[in-house]
mmCIF file of all heavy atoms in Angstrom:
data_model
loop_
_atom_site.group_PDB
_atom_site.id
_atom_site.type_symbol
_atom_site.label_atom_id
_atom_site.label_comp_id
_atom_site.label_asym_id
_atom_site.label_seq_id
_atom_site.Cartn_x
_atom_site.Cartn_y
_atom_site.Cartn_z
ATOM 1 N N PRO A 93 -18.157 -57.176 -128.077
ATOM 2 C CA PRO A 93 -18.993 -55.982 -128.251
ATOM 3 C C PRO A 93 -18.807 -55.301 -129.600
ATOM 4 O O PRO A 93 -19.661 -54.660 -130.155
ATOM 5 C CB PRO A 93 -18.568 -55.114 -127.120
ATOM 6 C CG PRO A 93 -18.174 -56.011 -126.053
ATOM 7 C CD PRO A 93 -17.505 -57.254 -126.775
ATOM 8 N N CYS A 94 -17.602 -55.481 -130.243
ATOM 9 C CA CYS A 94 -17.383 -54.785 -131.495
ATOM 10 C C CYS A 94 -17.767 -55.596 -132.672
ATOM 11 O O CYS A 94 -17.687 -55.152 -133.869
ATOM 12 C CB CYS A 94 -15.835 -54.482 -131.657
ATOM 13 S SG CYS A 94 -14.854 -55.961 -131.588
ATOM 14 N N THR A 95 -18.275 -56.820 -132.460
ATOM 15 C CA THR A 95 -18.680 -57.704 -133.570
ATOM 16 C C THR A 95 -19.999 -57.386 -134.068
ATOM 17 O O THR A 95 -20.965 -57.201 -133.372
ATOM 18 C CB THR A 95 -18.741 -59.164 -133.090
ATOM 19 O OG1 THR A 95 -17.462 -59.519 -132.508
ATOM 20 C CG2 THR A 95 -19.009 -60.128 -134.227
ATOM 21 N N LEU A 96 -20.139 -57.163 -135.419
ATOM 22 C CA LEU A 96 -21.348 -56.864 -136.045
ATOM 23 C C LEU A 96 -22.164 -58.112 -136.498
ATOM 24 O O LEU A 96 -21.858 -58.703 -137.488
ATOM 25 C CB LEU A 96 -21.167 -55.920 -137.231
ATOM 26 C CG LEU A 96 -20.513 -54.552 -136.955
ATOM 27 C CD1 LEU A 96 -20.251 -53.835 -138.234
ATOM 28 C CD2 LEU A 96 -21.458 -53.726 -136.064
ATOM 29 N N ILE A 97 -22.947 -58.632 -135.595
ATOM 30 C CA ILE A 97 -23.755 -59.785 -135.906
ATOM 31 C C ILE A 97 -25.213 -59.499 -135.587
ATOM 32 O O ILE A 97 -25.572 -58.876 -134.520
ATOM 33 C CB ILE A 97 -23.251 -60.984 -135.013
ATOM 34 C CG1 ILE A 97 -21.850 -61.322 -135.346
ATOM 35 C CG2 ILE A 97 -24.105 -62.171 -135.172
ATOM 36 C CD1 ILE A 97 -21.217 -62.396 -134.467
ATOM 37 N N HIS A 98 -26.120 -59.974 -136.397
ATOM 38 C CA HIS A 98 -27.469 -59.626 -136.177
ATOM 39 C C HIS A 98 -27.985 -60.379 -134.930
ATOM 40 O O HIS A 98 -27.633 -61.460 -134.522
ATOM 41 C CB HIS A 98 -28.396 -60.211 -137.388
ATOM 42 C CG HIS A 98 -29.727 -59.760 -137.317
ATOM 43 N ND1 HIS A 98 -30.777 -60.340 -136.635
ATOM 44 C CD2 HIS A 98 -30.361 -58.727 -137.993
ATOM 45 C CE1 HIS A 98 -31.896 -59.670 -136.808
ATOM 46 N NE2 HIS A 98 -31.671 -58.648 -137.578
ATOM 47 N N PRO A 99 -28.794 -59.570 -134.078
ATOM 48 C CA PRO A 99 -29.242 -60.075 -132.774
ATOM 49 C C PRO A 99 -29.903 -61.480 -132.849
ATOM 50 O O PRO A 99 -29.860 -62.229 -131.836
ATOM 51 C CB PRO A 99 -30.247 -59.087 -132.331
ATOM 52 C CG PRO A 99 -29.799 -57.756 -133.004
ATOM 53 C CD PRO A 99 -29.317 -58.208 -134.392
ATOM 54 N N SER A 100 -30.506 -61.788 -133.979
ATOM 55 C CA SER A 100 -31.198 -63.138 -134.008
ATOM 56 C C SER A 100 -30.233 -64.292 -133.829
ATOM 57 O O SER A 100 -30.685 -65.399 -133.489
ATOM 58 C CB SER A 100 -31.874 -63.287 -135.346
ATOM 59 O OG SER A 100 -31.017 -63.313 -136.426
ATOM 60 N N TYR A 101 -28.894 -64.074 -133.942
ATOM 61 C CA TYR A 101 -27.956 -65.196 -133.752
ATOM 62 C C TYR A 101 -27.737 -65.469 -132.287
ATOM 63 O O TYR A 101 -27.215 -66.569 -132.059
ATOM 64 C CB TYR A 101 -26.660 -64.864 -134.488
ATOM 65 C CG TYR A 101 -26.792 -64.893 -136.053
ATOM 66 C CD1 TYR A 101 -26.884 -63.803 -136.784
ATOM 67 C CD2 TYR A 101 -26.803 -66.142 -136.698
ATOM 68 C CE1 TYR A 101 -26.964 -63.832 -138.157
ATOM 69 C CE2 TYR A 101 -26.956 -66.227 -138.078
ATOM 70 C CZ TYR A 101 -26.981 -65.034 -138.787
ATOM 71 O OH TYR A 101 -27.112 -65.121 -140.171
ATOM 72 N N TYR A 102 -27.955 -64.520 -131.428
ATOM 73 C CA TYR A 102 -27.618 -64.778 -130.024
ATOM 74 C C TYR A 102 -28.730 -64.659 -128.994
ATOM 75 O O TYR A 102 -28.551 -65.074 -127.839
ATOM 76 C CB TYR A 102 -26.379 -63.955 -129.618
ATOM 77 C CG TYR A 102 -26.392 -62.475 -129.904
ATOM 78 C CD1 TYR A 102 -27.239 -61.655 -129.182
ATOM 79 C CD2 TYR A 102 -25.587 -61.967 -130.935
ATOM 80 C CE1 TYR A 102 -27.274 -60.269 -129.478
ATOM 81 C CE2 TYR A 102 -25.630 -60.645 -131.147
ATOM 82 C CZ TYR A 102 -26.495 -59.777 -130.465
ATOM 83 O OH TYR A 102 -26.477 -58.480 -130.702
ATOM 84 N N TYR A 103 -29.837 -64.092 -129.298
ATOM 85 C CA TYR A 103 -30.937 -63.974 -128.374
ATOM 86 C C TYR A 103 -31.765 -65.384 -128.406
ATOM 87 O O TYR A 103 -32.064 -65.841 -129.426
ATOM 88 C CB TYR A 103 -31.887 -62.880 -128.666
ATOM 89 C CG TYR A 103 -31.263 -61.520 -128.440
ATOM 90 C CD1 TYR A 103 -31.451 -60.430 -129.310
ATOM 91 C CD2 TYR A 103 -30.407 -61.260 -127.279
ATOM 92 C CE1 TYR A 103 -30.877 -59.176 -129.150
ATOM 93 C CE2 TYR A 103 -29.821 -60.005 -127.132
ATOM 94 C CZ TYR A 103 -30.047 -58.970 -128.012
ATOM 95 O OH TYR A 103 -29.476 -57.751 -127.808
ATOM 96 N N THR A 104 -31.999 -65.850 -127.186
ATOM 97 C CA THR A 104 -32.790 -67.100 -127.096
ATOM 98 C C THR A 104 -34.276 -66.839 -127.196
ATOM 99 O O THR A 104 -34.672 -65.645 -126.999
ATOM 100 C CB THR A 104 -32.418 -67.783 -125.759
ATOM 101 O OG1 THR A 104 -32.911 -66.906 -124.678
ATOM 102 C CG2 THR A 104 -30.876 -67.991 -125.633
ATOM 103 N N ASP A 105 -35.043 -67.887 -127.346
ATOM 104 C CA ASP A 105 -36.502 -67.753 -127.385
ATOM 105 C C ASP A 105 -37.037 -67.184 -125.996
ATOM 106 O O ASP A 105 -37.916 -66.409 -125.957
ATOM 107 C CB ASP A 105 -37.195 -69.099 -127.674
ATOM 108 C CG ASP A 105 -36.964 -69.536 -129.085
ATOM 109 O OD1 ASP A 105 -36.656 -68.667 -129.944
ATOM 110 O OD2 ASP A 105 -37.139 -70.687 -129.422
ATOM 111 N N GLU A 106 -36.354 -67.657 -124.929
ATOM 112 C CA GLU A 106 -36.730 -67.225 -123.595
ATOM 113 C C GLU A 106 -36.525 -65.681 -123.437
ATOM 114 O O GLU A 106 -37.367 -64.972 -122.880
ATOM 115 C CB GLU A 106 -35.908 -67.975 -122.585
ATOM 116 C CG GLU A 106 -36.290 -67.530 -121.117
ATOM 117 C CD GLU A 106 -35.439 -68.201 -120.112
ATOM 118 O OE1 GLU A 106 -34.410 -68.875 -120.553
ATOM 119 O OE2 GLU A 106 -35.731 -68.094 -118.923
ATOM 120 N N GLU A 107 -35.409 -65.168 -123.988
ATOM 121 C CA GLU A 107 -35.199 -63.808 -123.874
ATOM 122 C C GLU A 107 -36.191 -62.952 -124.729
ATOM 123 O O GLU A 107 -36.638 -61.894 -124.305
ATOM 124 C CB GLU A 107 -33.759 -63.492 -124.387
ATOM 125 C CG GLU A 107 -32.649 -63.894 -123.371
ATOM 126 C CD GLU A 107 -31.270 -63.764 -123.944
ATOM 127 O OE1 GLU A 107 -31.051 -64.459 -125.017
ATOM 128 O OE2 GLU A 107 -30.450 -63.095 -123.383
ATOM 129 N N ARG A 108 -36.481 -63.441 -125.903
ATOM 130 C CA ARG A 108 -37.440 -62.736 -126.766
ATOM 131 C C ARG A 108 -38.826 -62.677 -126.108
ATOM 132 O O ARG A 108 -39.559 -61.680 -126.124
ATOM 133 C CB ARG A 108 -37.565 -63.427 -128.132
ATOM 134 C CG ARG A 108 -36.266 -63.268 -128.942
ATOM 135 C CD ARG A 108 -36.523 -63.744 -130.389
ATOM 136 N NE ARG A 108 -35.327 -63.923 -131.174
ATOM 137 C CZ ARG A 108 -34.639 -65.026 -131.281
ATOM 138 N NH1 ARG A 108 -35.070 -66.129 -130.761
ATOM 139 N NH2 ARG A 108 -33.507 -65.027 -131.991
ATOM 140 N N LYS A 109 -39.201 -63.835 -125.499
ATOM 141 C CA LYS A 109 -40.497 -63.871 -124.782
ATOM 142 C C LYS A 109 -40.526 -62.936 -123.596
ATOM 143 O O LYS A 109 -41.484 -62.204 -123.328
ATOM 144 C CB LYS A 109 -40.772 -65.272 -124.273
ATOM 145 C CG LYS A 109 -41.129 -66.274 -125.432
ATOM 146 C CD LYS A 109 -41.332 -67.677 -124.888
ATOM 147 C CE LYS A 109 -41.582 -68.651 -126.045
ATOM 148 N NZ LYS A 109 -41.753 -70.025 -125.508
ATOM 149 N N GLU A 110 -39.359 -62.859 -122.881
ATOM 150 C CA GLU A 110 -39.292 -61.914 -121.715
ATOM 151 C C GLU A 110 -39.438 -60.516 -122.160
ATOM 152 O O GLU A 110 -40.118 -59.714 -121.590
ATOM 153 C CB GLU A 110 -37.957 -62.152 -121.004
ATOM 154 C CG GLU A 110 -37.703 -61.252 -119.851
ATOM 155 C CD GLU A 110 -38.498 -61.587 -118.611
ATOM 156 O OE1 GLU A 110 -39.172 -62.596 -118.659
ATOM 157 O OE2 GLU A 110 -38.447 -60.872 -117.622
ATOM 158 N N PHE A 111 -38.780 -60.214 -123.292
ATOM 159 C CA PHE A 111 -38.821 -58.814 -123.813
ATOM 160 C C PHE A 111 -40.277 -58.500 -124.234
ATOM 161 O O PHE A 111 -40.743 -57.364 -124.018
ATOM 162 C CB PHE A 111 -37.881 -58.626 -124.971
ATOM 163 C CG PHE A 111 -37.926 -57.183 -125.516
ATOM 164 C CD1 PHE A 111 -37.348 -56.192 -124.791
ATOM 165 C CD2 PHE A 111 -38.550 -56.884 -126.711
ATOM 166 C CE1 PHE A 111 -37.356 -54.838 -125.201
ATOM 167 C CE2 PHE A 111 -38.563 -55.633 -127.122
ATOM 168 C CZ PHE A 111 -37.947 -54.570 -126.436
ATOM 169 N N GLN A 112 -40.867 -59.378 -124.947
ATOM 170 C CA GLN A 112 -42.266 -59.192 -125.356
ATOM 171 C C GLN A 112 -43.239 -58.985 -124.176
ATOM 172 O O GLN A 112 -44.140 -58.114 -124.222
ATOM 173 C CB GLN A 112 -42.735 -60.303 -126.208
ATOM 174 C CG GLN A 112 -42.147 -60.364 -127.631
ATOM 175 C CD GLN A 112 -42.360 -59.151 -128.382
ATOM 176 O OE1 GLN A 112 -43.448 -58.570 -128.463
ATOM 177 N NE2 GLN A 112 -41.286 -58.643 -129.045
ATOM 178 N N LYS A 113 -42.974 -59.678 -123.151
ATOM 179 C CA LYS A 113 -43.795 -59.592 -121.920
ATOM 180 C C LYS A 113 -43.659 -58.205 -121.244
ATOM 181 O O LYS A 113 -44.594 -57.630 -120.806
ATOM 182 C CB LYS A 113 -43.281 -60.638 -120.917
ATOM 183 C CG LYS A 113 -44.228 -60.734 -119.659
ATOM 184 C CD LYS A 113 -43.844 -61.846 -118.772
ATOM 185 C CE LYS A 113 -42.481 -61.628 -118.073
ATOM 186 N NZ LYS A 113 -42.211 -62.702 -117.059
ATOM 187 N N LEU A 114 -42.444 -57.640 -121.243
ATOM 188 C CA LEU A 114 -42.194 -56.454 -120.559
ATOM 189 C C LEU A 114 -42.252 -55.113 -121.420
ATOM 190 O O LEU A 114 -42.447 -54.028 -120.891
ATOM 191 C CB LEU A 114 -40.787 -56.394 -119.906
ATOM 192 C CG LEU A 114 -39.494 -56.287 -120.851
ATOM 193 C CD1 LEU A 114 -39.200 -54.897 -121.221
ATOM 194 C CD2 LEU A 114 -38.347 -56.953 -120.152
ATOM 195 N N LYS A 115 -42.299 -55.281 -122.706
ATOM 196 C CA LYS A 115 -42.251 -54.158 -123.694
ATOM 197 C C LYS A 115 -43.277 -53.127 -123.403
ATOM 198 O O LYS A 115 -43.021 -51.922 -123.352
ATOM 199 C CB LYS A 115 -42.190 -54.689 -125.112
ATOM 200 C CG LYS A 115 -42.001 -53.560 -126.170
ATOM 201 C CD LYS A 115 -41.688 -54.103 -127.527
ATOM 202 C CE LYS A 115 -42.837 -54.955 -128.070
ATOM 203 N NZ LYS A 115 -42.595 -55.270 -129.509
ATOM 204 N N SER A 116 -44.519 -53.591 -123.325
ATOM 205 C CA SER A 116 -45.613 -52.643 -123.204
ATOM 206 C C SER A 116 -45.575 -51.872 -121.888
ATOM 207 O O SER A 116 -45.703 -50.662 -121.853
ATOM 208 C CB SER A 116 -46.954 -53.352 -123.313
ATOM 209 O OG SER A 116 -48.049 -52.559 -123.030
#
């Protein structure tokens, strides 16, 4: 949790799609 790493390094395509689906 204390590591400063850009989210693109650990979110999967499936997670991004899920977020886009629910965001609205």
